[in-house]
Amino acid sequence: VTAKTWLLTDVERDIYIDQIELGPREAGGSAQGYSVRKRRLRGGLRDGVDAVEVDTGALRFTLLPTRGMGLWRAEAGSLRLGWSSPVRGPVHPQFVPLMEPAGLGWLSGFDELLVRCGLESMGPPQFDDDGRLVHPLHGRIANQSAHRVEVAIDGDTGEIAVTGVVDEARLFHNKLRLTSTVRTRAGGTSLTITDEVTNLSARPGELELLYHINLGRPLLEPGAKLSVPLAALAPRTPRAAEGLAEWDSYGPAEPGFAEQVYFTQLHADAEGQTRALLRNARGSQGVSLRFNTRQLPWFVVWKSLEPDEDGYVTGLEPALNLPNSRSFEKQQGRVAVLAPGAAVRFDLELELHASPTGVERAQQAIDQLQAARPIIHDRPPQGWTAP
Amino acid sequence: VTAKTWLLTDVERDIYIDQIELGPREAGGSAQGYSVRKRRLRGGLRDGVDAVEVDTGALRFTLLPTRGMGLWRAEAGSLRLGWSSPVRGPVHPQFVPLMEPAGLGWLSGFDELLVRCGLESMGPPQFDDDGRLVHPLHGRIANQSAHRVEVAIDGDTGEIAVTGVVDEARLFHNKLRLTSTVRTRAGGTSLTITDEVTNLSARPGELELLYHINLGRPLLEPGAKLSVPLAALAPRTPRAAEGLAEWDSYGPAEPGFAEQVYFTQLHADAEGQTRALLRNARGSQGVSLRFNTRQLPWFVVWKSLEPDEDGYVTGLEPALNLPNSRSFEKQQGRVAVLAPGAAVRFDLELELHASPTGVERAQQAIDQLQAARPIIHDRPPQGWTAP
Amino acid sequence: VTAKTWLLTDVERDIYIDQIELGPREAGGSAQGYSVRKRRLRGGLRDGVDAVEVDTGALRFTLLPTRGMGLWRAEAGSLRLGWSSPVRGPVHPQFVPLMEPAGLGWLSGFDELLVRCGLESMGPPQFDDDGRLVHPLHGRIANQSAHRVEVAIDGDTGEIAVTGVVDEARLFHNKLRLTSTVRTRAGGTSLTITDEVTNLSARPGELELLYHINLGRPLLEPGAKLSVPLAALAPRTPRAAEGLAEWDSYGPAEPGFAEQVYFTQLHADAEGQTRALLRNARGSQGVSLRFNTRQLPWFVVWKSLEPDEDGYVTGLEPALNLPNSRSFEKQQGRVAVLAPGAAVRFDLELELHASPTGVERAQQAIDQLQAARPIIHDRPPQGWTAP
């Protein structure tokens, strides 16, 4: 038995499957105990959102083709990843006023575990000389709907892959394509994301990208800790500088907590591989994030420790560039330019640790990468933060 | 037999019922002749709107969970309440450009009998110092979709209640929840609305609210009359002052009629209860509106007497504050501040009078409330209208 | 047997047919080999778009009630009309940020063979004195959904008519109705469009209108040629003037090709009928466009010869007025004013030529109309292009 594939959506060929459930019976082979289920959500702000739910037997997660192949939630046993947003998502793009004049409409759809910021732009909204919005907060890709969705299952190895293709394209503008494949395996507790961004145009294309990975309770709690092989760090703002000494640990919620953001660079192995670990206070559970600093040279930490009802959440954010205004990033040479037809690839792995053993092993791996003492800036170095 | 409940939508529990019809058979008990029907509208601008249609046997009305629990239409026998808007509604929020730069997009969805203006803001659009829209005309709540909808029926008493929960919330912003219950009874010709607005946030929340109740033909006609126990009144603009002498009566349609708005305060009984009556020219039919001046201290009258094709309509609008710019209302201390977790309640009753007897009785009740001669200002007193 | 009609959508009467297929069996009569199929598209950006597919046996085309009765594609044998837009359409209006502050959101939905620009405005976005968008690029009508759709088939003559009614209306604003009927015939290779725009309002209504008919490969190719009975022509911009000598022929794609637009007036017969022909390099295939210069006095030619991935396309655009800013057009007296209740009619015919014979005949008809030598301006005459 080799991998079988199911095409769930392909607008070119007029294919759309409203609902399907796939498992060992459909895939054949010897692997057992997993399922892939696709359905359309209904009601409230989620009305019309397509969801692909993958269950490995040990890990369950939900992908959102309607929201740029975002990752909504993941859980392994009692360990649930994600956060409780003031918005009850997942939110269909029809309810997200992305282009509202102040440029903050993106927040109306923000409730995923993993949401991509980009592709033409990310970071704060940017306006033209007449004060008109040009680039909305965190860009357009998270509110674009996939035009192709495919599931592949190898019934023998138990490998499961979900691929979605999402365009961010417009006549006379940037024409970028995201092809995202999320892979896991029957019985596994981790998932990998392989993203390829292709410039469809015969003109050069420009790319900004940040993976906004958002974690709240129960993992995030007072005493929770972030471990990374830190090379350098700077607070983005004076407000962030206030919390510099505790940048990698989390306190209790504070009503009116003003967000703190840290820009960091991490050590990596010879291949550029690095990792981050967020663990709870007791170290009994955690989540590891692996990525490559050659692909994603920055790692941004966002802390927004408001009470649950307002969002108690941290963002772990591997990034191609920094979330400053697009013009500043361009000036700093951090906006990637893709030649006509060129593609770049980004790999991420998320591993859930439901037991102390997993957490310890992840910590050891990070300790091994911690080559030298990090440089901690008490304010942003030249070129890191837009003035 | 006690009340049975049906959960039609609950996104938290992944419940969504596309279509259902409930009546004596489903509820049990002795009450007869009523029904509650839920369905999804299709086609045109209504595509995807969920409608809950209640029929008491004597009164029929339609609630719109997809439009913030607005009340679309109501009718009792030959008496139909509502108006003929230039927009063929009900309009799904996906077709309402609420955040268009000029801030008037709300009008593209405006065709209900009762639409709430609020919750963070209502009144004219407001812009920041750079001219960018911050608060759109009449706010966001009417274009938010309920994430929970429940029907309760007591088969013995014939009491019917439809409850919807709608959030107006966003990270870093106001987080208010509207829980609206509309009640009626088998055989009844009135409905009550009980709204509770809760501040979900751990920060103080700010609230503006106006019930925009819109009436056109056949009830509104030349010679139709509005009765209220008037305490004080002022025209909002010089244009409104032109019609001051006939502020409470309605003339024939005039092409190009420029709208007139009157701000009023009403007398009430010892509990704060007051009422308004709109009756047709002959006094043979009418509608009564009951509310509490402690909850809703203002009553705004809107006259827009254009020919039918452009909208021949009056708005009777009990309000927490006045429809001025939000900053002016704040300055005047009329924006309500809700403590973290706090809730405020608003009660409204709509009674349809299909016969002269009902109209007369309603008029008598108003006459009894008319304690003293009203104060009629010929221009807005200080603090009523934003300069 | 006389014509039978099927009402597919009528929001007034709560009628909506999700899917239907009509043919000789349903219509009765002797005509054979044709079909009319209505369905709802699913997935990607087309999710929720209603499509009416007409097949005469010799010609197939798709109408889009959800996009203002636009014509998506047409084909006759190996001759396919339409173009390959960077956007994978048809795009549901929910995914088109029409009112984004910069006013270019219309481009996110632009991929049809024929799209109407109007009705209140068309041409470049226009802003008020505060820099806020008032009129978005090419107006609203293409992103409005029809509230009434009807199919009529005469089973004997084989005549097929699809009628859609689309409103562009808002309280206090313009209230125009488009009633569009597209007719063809079993076995036919042409279609006619009869549009009526009615001013629903009791106030005068204002109308701008341009038919943006877009053609790409395979018909458009290096060596392809446009024939019209030219009376006068001017380049819109200096950039267009660069290509003046070859304004009616098409070269190969050039990466970064900046668009060229020509404003023209055509000769017509005694009834005002005129025609245009676009043919491929060999003259083996082509498409004819017939319209009336009394209804549509302008003919705009748009050339955007970028590589396929960016859009290799030409627009043949009969128009009521020129695509300048609305205020300039008004100043020039080219914005039509419709009296209350008044209607204007526009007729267009599209004929597909799948063989050289048809192309030749069309060319001869144009040659006969070419009464005198055209006037070619090397820059826009006074009043043609907004400064």
Side-chain angles (χ1 to χ4, degrees):
Chain A
V1 178
T2 55
K4 281 193 188 171
T5 61
W6 291 262
L7 199 49
L8 306 190
T9 301
D10 187 0
V11 300
E12 298 291 286
R13 291 158 65 186
D14 226 338
I15 290 170
Y16 177 78
I17 293 177
D18 194 62
Q19 196 158 336
I20 198 169
E21 184 150 0
L22 304 169
R25 211 167 55 176
E26 287 74 21
S30 54
Q32 292 298 322
Y34 66 87
S35 68
V36 179
R37 186 182 172 207
K38 188 265 163 177
R39 58 199 185 102
R40 169 158 284 203
L41 307 180
R42 286 283 168 199
L45 302 177
R46 66 179 57 185
D47 200 75
V49 169
D50 280 340
V52 179
E53 297 163 333
V54 178
D55 188 345
T56 72
L59 168 69
R60 296 199 302 167
F61 60 89
T62 303
L63 299 169
L64 303 173
T66 310
R67 289 191 55 79
M69 293 304 293
L71 172 61
W72 189 43
R73 295 275 183 273
E75 53 182 308
S78 68
L79 175 57
R80 282 177 293 119
L81 299 189
W83 64 298
S84 180
S85 168
V87 171
R88 292 178 177 256
V91 184
H92 194 284
Q94 69 183 312
F95 295 116
V96 177
L98 196 66
M99 299 306 291
E100 69 171 37
L104 301 178
W106 184 89
L107 292 170
S108 287
F110 178 40
D111 103 312
E112 300 101 325
L113 165 57
L114 181 150
V115 52
R116 289 170 193 81
C117 300
L119 298 175
E120 182 177 2
S121 69
M122 59 96 176
Q126 194 163 344
F127 306 93
D128 67 15
D129 290 345
D130 293 312
R132 287 192 287 261
L133 182 68
V134 180
H135 300 295
L137 173 68
H138 287 332
R140 290 173 161 93
I141 192 65
N143 288 282
Q144 302 301 315
S145 185
H147 60 81
R148 194 175 196 282
V149 181
E150 190 180 75
V151 176
I153 302 176
D154 185 317
D156 278 335
T157 64
E159 281 180 304
I160 300 165
V162 182
T163 300
V165 185
V166 191
D167 286 359
E168 189 187 285
R170 188 191 264 190
L171 190 72
F172 305 142
H173 292 82
N174 235 13
K175 292 163 199 84
L176 298 179
R177 169 167 296 172
L178 167 69
T179 303
S180 173
T181 300
V182 177
R183 285 189 184 81
T184 188
R185 172 186 301 259
T189 55
S190 69
L191 63 89
T192 64
I193 298 174
T194 306
D195 283 358
E196 204 169 72
V197 177
T198 309
N199 177 16
L200 300 177
S201 173
R203 309 192 193 195
E206 297 192 336
L207 171 67
E208 297 195 317
L209 187 61
L210 177 147
Y211 291 85
H212 215 298
I213 301 171
N214 310 295
L215 297 155
R217 296 187 198 273
L219 191 59
L220 191 72
E221 60 181 354
K225 200 121 180 46
L226 173 66
S227 288
V228 292
L230 190 67
L233 176 145
R236 193 186 60 162
T237 57
R239 161 65 187 152
E242 291 172 18
L244 193 54
E246 307 86 31
W247 77 271
D248 58 353
S249 63
Y250 297 87
E254 292 173 30
F257 183 98
E259 63 171 7
Q260 296 174 320
V261 176
Y262 302 94
F263 293 162
T264 84
Q265 294 174 318
L266 305 187
H267 290 295
D269 69 17
E271 276 74 44
Q273 284 297 124
T274 190
R275 47 196 300 167
L277 167 69
L278 181 74
R279 61 171 197 264
N280 64 4
R282 287 192 300 141
S284 62
Q285 295 192 322
V287 60
S288 279
L289 180 59
R290 287 199 199 90
F291 60 97
N292 194 300
T293 57
R294 293 179 194 165
Q295 297 173 346
L296 297 162
W298 297 94
F299 183 70
V300 178
V301 179
W302 171 58
K303 298 169 89 168
S304 193
L305 306 183
E306 293 202 78
D308 291 358
E309 46 273 45
D310 294 296
Y312 182 74
V313 59
T314 189
L316 310 186
E317 309 168 1
L320 174 62
N321 65 301
L322 287 171
N324 293 299
S325 76
R326 195 173 188 284
S327 57
F328 182 78
E329 288 299 290
K330 208 161 168 174
Q331 193 184 303
Q332 297 299 323
R334 286 194 294 255
V335 175
V337 178
L338 302 190
V344 279
R345 179 176 160 158
F346 304 95
D347 299 273
L348 281 167
E349 186 179 351
L350 231 59
E351 186 178 354
L352 284 76
H353 310 298
S355 73
T357 325
V359 175
E360 276 160 38
R361 258 192 235 122
Q363 183 62 54
Q364 287 162 12
I366 288 168
D367 293 344
Q368 283 177 9
L369 289 172
Q370 186 67 56
R373 287 188 58 176
I375 301 165
I376 309 274
H377 303 278
D378 56 5
R379 71 187 69 178
Q382 176 77 20
W384 282 34
T385 298
Chain B
V1 179
T2 55
K4 280 192 188 171
T5 61
W6 291 263
L7 198 50
L8 305 190
T9 300
D10 187 0
V11 301
E12 298 291 286
R13 291 159 64 185
D14 226 338
I15 290 170
Y16 177 78
I17 292 177
D18 195 62
Q19 196 157 335
I20 198 170
E21 184 150 0
L22 304 169
R25 212 168 54 176
E26 288 74 20
S30 55
Q32 292 299 323
Y34 65 88
S35 68
V36 179
R37 185 181 173 207
K38 189 265 162 176
R39 58 199 185 100
R40 168 158 286 203
L41 306 180
R42 287 282 166 200
L45 302 178
R46 65 179 58 185
D47 200 74
V49 169
D50 280 341
V52 179
E53 297 162 335
V54 178
D55 187 345
T56 71
L59 168 69
R60 295 198 303 165
F61 60 89
T62 303
L63 299 169
L64 303 173
T66 309
R67 289 190 55 79
M69 295 304 294
L71 172 61
W72 189 43
R73 295 274 182 276
E75 53 182 308
S78 69
L79 173 58
R80 283 177 292 118
L81 299 190
W83 65 296
S84 179
S85 169
V87 171
R88 294 178 174 254
V91 184
H92 193 284
Q94 68 182 315
F95 295 116
V96 178
L98 196 65
M99 300 305 292
E100 67 172 39
L104 301 178
W106 184 88
L107 292 171
S108 288
F110 178 40
D111 104 312
E112 300 101 326
L113 164 57
L114 181 150
V115 52
R116 288 170 194 83
C117 301
L119 299 175
E120 182 177 1
S121 68
M122 58 97 177
Q126 193 162 345
F127 306 93
D128 67 14
D129 290 345
D130 293 312
R132 285 190 289 262
L133 182 68
V134 181
H135 300 296
L137 173 67
H138 287 334
R140 291 173 161 94
I141 192 65
N143 288 283
Q144 303 300 317
S145 185
H147 60 81
R148 194 174 197 282
V149 181
E150 190 180 73
V151 176
I153 303 176
D154 185 316
D156 278 334
T157 63
E159 281 180 304
I160 300 165
V162 182
T163 300
V165 185
V166 192
D167 286 357
E168 189 186 285
R170 187 191 264 191
L171 190 71
F172 305 142
H173 292 82
N174 235 13
K175 291 163 198 85
L176 298 179
R177 168 167 296 172
L178 167 69
T179 303
S180 173
T181 299
V182 177
R183 285 189 184 81
T184 188
R185 171 187 302 260
T189 56
S190 69
L191 63 90
T192 65
I193 299 175
T194 307
D195 284 357
E196 203 170 73
V197 177
T198 309
N199 178 16
L200 301 177
S201 173
R203 310 191 194 196
E206 296 190 337
L207 170 68
E208 296 194 318
L209 185 61
L210 177 147
Y211 290 85
H212 215 299
I213 301 171
N214 310 295
L215 297 155
R217 296 189 199 271
L219 190 59
L220 190 72
E221 60 181 353
K225 200 121 181 49
L226 173 66
S227 289
V228 291
L230 189 68
L233 176 145
R236 193 185 61 163
T237 57
R239 162 64 187 151
E242 292 172 17
L244 193 54
E246 307 86 31
W247 76 271
D248 57 354
S249 63
Y250 298 86
E254 293 174 28
F257 183 98
E259 61 172 6
Q260 296 174 320
V261 176
Y262 302 92
F263 293 162
T264 83
Q265 293 174 318
L266 305 188
H267 290 297
D269 68 15
E271 276 74 46
Q273 283 297 123
T274 191
R275 49 195 298 167
L277 166 70
L278 182 73
R279 62 171 196 263
N280 64 5
R282 287 193 298 141
S284 62
Q285 294 193 322
V287 60
S288 279
L289 180 60
R290 288 200 199 90
F291 60 96
N292 195 300
T293 57
R294 293 179 195 165
Q295 296 173 347
L296 297 162
W298 297 94
F299 183 71
V300 178
V301 179
W302 171 58
K303 297 168 89 167
S304 193
L305 305 182
E306 293 202 78
D308 292 358
E309 45 274 45
D310 294 295
Y312 182 72
V313 59
T314 189
L316 310 186
E317 310 169 0
L320 173 62
N321 64 302
L322 287 170
N324 293 299
S325 75
R326 195 173 187 284
S327 56
F328 181 78
E329 288 300 289
K330 207 160 168 174
Q331 193 183 305
Q332 297 299 323
R334 285 194 294 257
V335 175
V337 178
L338 303 190
V344 279
R345 180 175 160 158
F346 304 94
D347 298 273
L348 280 168
E349 185 178 352
L350 230 59
E351 185 178 353
L352 285 76
H353 309 299
S355 72
T357 325
V359 174
E360 276 159 39
R361 256 192 236 122
Q363 182 62 53
Q364 287 161 11
I366 288 168
D367 292 344
Q368 283 178 8
L369 289 173
Q370 186 67 55
R373 287 188 57 177
I375 301 166
I376 309 274
H377 303 276
D378 58 2
R379 70 188 67 177
Q382 175 77 20
W384 282 35
T385 298
Chain C
V1 180
T2 56
K4 281 192 189 171
T5 61
W6 291 262
L7 198 50
L8 305 190
T9 300
D10 188 359
V11 300
E12 298 292 286
R13 292 159 64 185
D14 226 338
I15 290 170
Y16 177 79
I17 292 178
D18 193 63
Q19 196 158 336
I20 198 170
E21 184 149 1
L22 304 169
R25 213 167 53 176
E26 288 74 21
S30 55
Q32 292 299 323
Y34 66 88
S35 68
V36 179
R37 185 182 172 207
K38 188 266 163 177
R39 57 198 185 102
R40 168 157 286 202
L41 307 180
R42 287 282 167 201
L45 302 178
R46 65 178 58 186
D47 200 75
V49 169
D50 280 340
V52 179
E53 298 162 335
V54 177
D55 187 345
T56 72
L59 168 68
R60 296 199 302 166
F61 59 90
T62 304
L63 299 169
L64 303 173
T66 310
R67 290 191 55 78
M69 294 303 294
L71 172 61
W72 188 43
R73 296 275 183 274
E75 54 183 307
S78 67
L79 173 58
R80 284 177 291 117
L81 299 190
W83 65 297
S84 180
S85 168
V87 171
R88 293 178 174 255
V91 184
H92 193 284
Q94 69 182 314
F95 295 116
V96 177
L98 195 67
M99 299 306 292
E100 68 171 38
L104 301 177
W106 184 89
L107 293 171
S108 287
F110 177 40
D111 104 311
E112 300 102 325
L113 165 56
L114 180 151
V115 53
R116 287 171 194 82
C117 301
L119 300 175
E120 182 176 3
S121 69
M122 59 96 177
Q126 194 162 344
F127 306 92
D128 67 15
D129 290 345
D130 293 311
R132 285 191 289 261
L133 182 68
V134 180
H135 300 295
L137 173 67
H138 287 332
R140 291 172 160 95
I141 192 65
N143 288 282
Q144 303 300 316
S145 185
H147 60 81
R148 194 175 195 282
V149 181
E150 190 180 74
V151 176
I153 303 176
D154 185 317
D156 278 334
T157 64
E159 281 180 305
I160 300 165
V162 181
T163 299
V165 185
V166 192
D167 285 358
E168 190 186 285
R170 186 191 264 191
L171 190 72
F172 305 141
H173 293 81
N174 235 14
K175 291 161 199 86
L176 299 179
R177 168 167 296 172
L178 168 69
T179 303
S180 174
T181 299
V182 177
R183 286 190 184 80
T184 188
R185 172 186 301 259
T189 55
S190 68
L191 63 90
T192 64
I193 299 175
T194 307
D195 283 357
E196 203 170 73
V197 177
T198 309
N199 177 17
L200 301 178
S201 174
R203 309 191 194 196
E206 296 191 338
L207 169 68
E208 297 195 317
L209 186 61
L210 177 148
Y211 290 85
H212 216 297
I213 300 171
N214 311 294
L215 297 155
R217 295 188 198 272
L219 190 60
L220 191 72
E221 60 181 353
K225 201 121 180 49
L226 173 66
S227 288
V228 292
L230 190 67
L233 176 146
R236 192 185 62 163
T237 57
R239 161 65 186 152
E242 291 172 18
L244 193 54
E246 306 87 31
W247 77 271
D248 58 354
S249 63
Y250 297 86
E254 293 173 29
F257 183 99
E259 62 171 7
Q260 296 173 322
V261 176
Y262 302 93
F263 293 161
T264 84
Q265 294 175 318
L266 305 187
H267 290 295
D269 68 17
E271 276 74 46
Q273 284 297 124
T274 190
R275 46 196 300 167
L277 166 70
L278 181 74
R279 60 172 199 262
N280 64 5
R282 287 192 300 140
S284 62
Q285 294 193 322
V287 60
S288 278
L289 179 59
R290 287 201 199 89
F291 60 97
N292 194 300
T293 56
R294 294 179 195 165
Q295 296 173 347
L296 298 162
W298 297 94
F299 184 70
V300 178
V301 179
W302 170 58
K303 297 168 89 168
S304 193
L305 306 182
E306 294 202 78
D308 291 357
E309 46 274 45
D310 295 295
Y312 182 75
V313 60
T314 189
L316 310 185
E317 310 169 1
L320 174 63
N321 65 301
L322 287 170
N324 293 299
S325 76
R326 195 173 188 284
S327 57
F328 182 78
E329 286 300 289
K330 208 162 167 174
Q331 193 184 305
Q332 297 299 322
R334 286 193 295 256
V335 175
V337 178
L338 302 190
V344 279
R345 179 175 161 159
F346 304 94
D347 299 273
L348 280 168
E349 185 180 351
L350 231 59
E351 185 179 353
L352 284 76
H353 310 298
S355 73
T357 324
V359 173
E360 275 160 38
R361 259 193 235 121
Q363 182 62 53
Q364 287 162 11
I366 288 168
D367 292 344
Q368 284 177 8
L369 289 173
Q370 186 66 57
R373 287 188 57 177
I375 301 165
I376 309 274
H377 303 276
D378 57 3
R379 71 189 68 177
Q382 176 77 20
W384 282 34
T385 298

